[in-house]
């Protein structure tokens, strides 16, 4: 009887282990965006996970050593579920001095005071070389019916 119980336990665990992994790790990545180039600045779009270790993305900071520090607005990334993105332009020679910092907190609505969480430092050059997930374009909304007043 014990052997049967042990076999049932191992079989049940193997079924759970082989199921679809809903907690797959979402890794940040970046792309050069030709549409956002301006004079001698190159456009970049950075994609970051909405959640990290159970915390929600609340802020995205960009800094250039001894020059500038700014908080950038981010939005849900088109075509990449679970990602947020931000677009900015920078001179190519400033890439080594560029720092990207994400702040994650328990604040789901991304407003108000942040009481606890974590910060993540990113390197744009590494993000440009990171593996990108396949883009999934959502289907268009269904056409609306036209009422001709009949």
């Amino acid at each position: 009887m014990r052997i049967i119980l042990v076999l049932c336990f191992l079989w049940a665990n193997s079924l759970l282990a082989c199921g679809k992994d809903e907690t797959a790790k979402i890794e940040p990545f970046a792309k050069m965006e030709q549409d956002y180039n301006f004079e001698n600045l190159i456009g970049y779009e950075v994609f970051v996970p909405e959640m990290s270790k159970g915390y929600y993305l609340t802020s995205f900071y960009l800094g250039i050593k001894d020059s500038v520090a700014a908080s950038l607005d981010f939005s849900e990334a088109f075509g990449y579920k679970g990602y947020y993105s931000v677009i900015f332009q920078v001179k190519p020679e400033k890439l080594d001095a560029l720092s990207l910092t994400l702040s994650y907190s328990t604040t789901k609505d991304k407003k108000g005071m942040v009481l606890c969480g974590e910060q993540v430092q990113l390197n744009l050059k590494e993000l440009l070389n990171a593996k990108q997930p396949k883009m999934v374009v959502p289907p268009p909304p269904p056409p609306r019916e036209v009422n001709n007043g009949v």
Side-chain angles (χ1 to χ4, degrees):
M1 184 68 169
R2 288 183 188 175
I3 294 173
I4 293 173
L5 288 174
V6 170
L7 290 175
C8 288
F9 176 76
L10 293 174
W11 179 71
N13 281 341
S14 68
L15 286 178
L16 294 174
C18 294
K20 185 177 178 183
D21 186 12
E22 296 294 331
T23 59
K25 187 151 174 73
I26 296 177
E27 296 292 332
F29 66 96
K31 299 181 192 181
M32 285 178 105
E33 287 294 336
Q34 300 298 329
D35 295 339
Y36 295 98
N37 290 352
F38 181 72
E39 294 183 13
N40 61 348
L41 301 174
I42 304 294
Y44 298 96
E45 186 169 13
V46 177
F47 298 84
V48 297
E50 175 185 10
M51 293 190 72
S52 176
K53 298 178 185 173
Y55 295 112
Y56 297 92
L57 180 66
T58 54
S59 57
F60 190 112
Y61 298 101
L62 178 136
I64 298 179
K65 189 176 181 179
D66 300 326
S67 294
V68 68
S71 176
L72 303 179
D73 287 334
F74 54 89
S75 60
E76 286 186 51
F78 177 78
Y80 296 100
K81 185 177 176 156
Y83 284 92
Y84 277 79
S85 69
V86 65
I87 297 174
F88 57 88
Q89 297 86 19
V90 68
K91 288 183 177 182
E93 60 268 16
K94 295 289 186 183
L95 286 185
D96 289 328
L98 187 75
S99 66
L100 303 172
T101 305
L102 308 176
S103 289
Y104 287 88
S105 78
T106 56
T107 310
K108 184 176 183 176
D109 64 359
K110 299 167 184 46
K111 298 176 186 170
M113 184 184 301
V114 175
L115 297 176
C116 62
E118 72 170 5
Q119 288 191 337
V120 176
Q121 299 289 324
L122 300 175
N123 179 301
L124 184 57
K125 284 185 176 180
E126 290 175 8
L127 294 177
L128 290 167
N129 293 322
K131 183 179 178 184
Q132 298 178 15
K134 184 177 179 182
M135 183 180 212
V136 178
V137 178
R144 292 199 272 169
E145 291 184 28
V146 178
N147 186 353
N148 293 330
V150 182

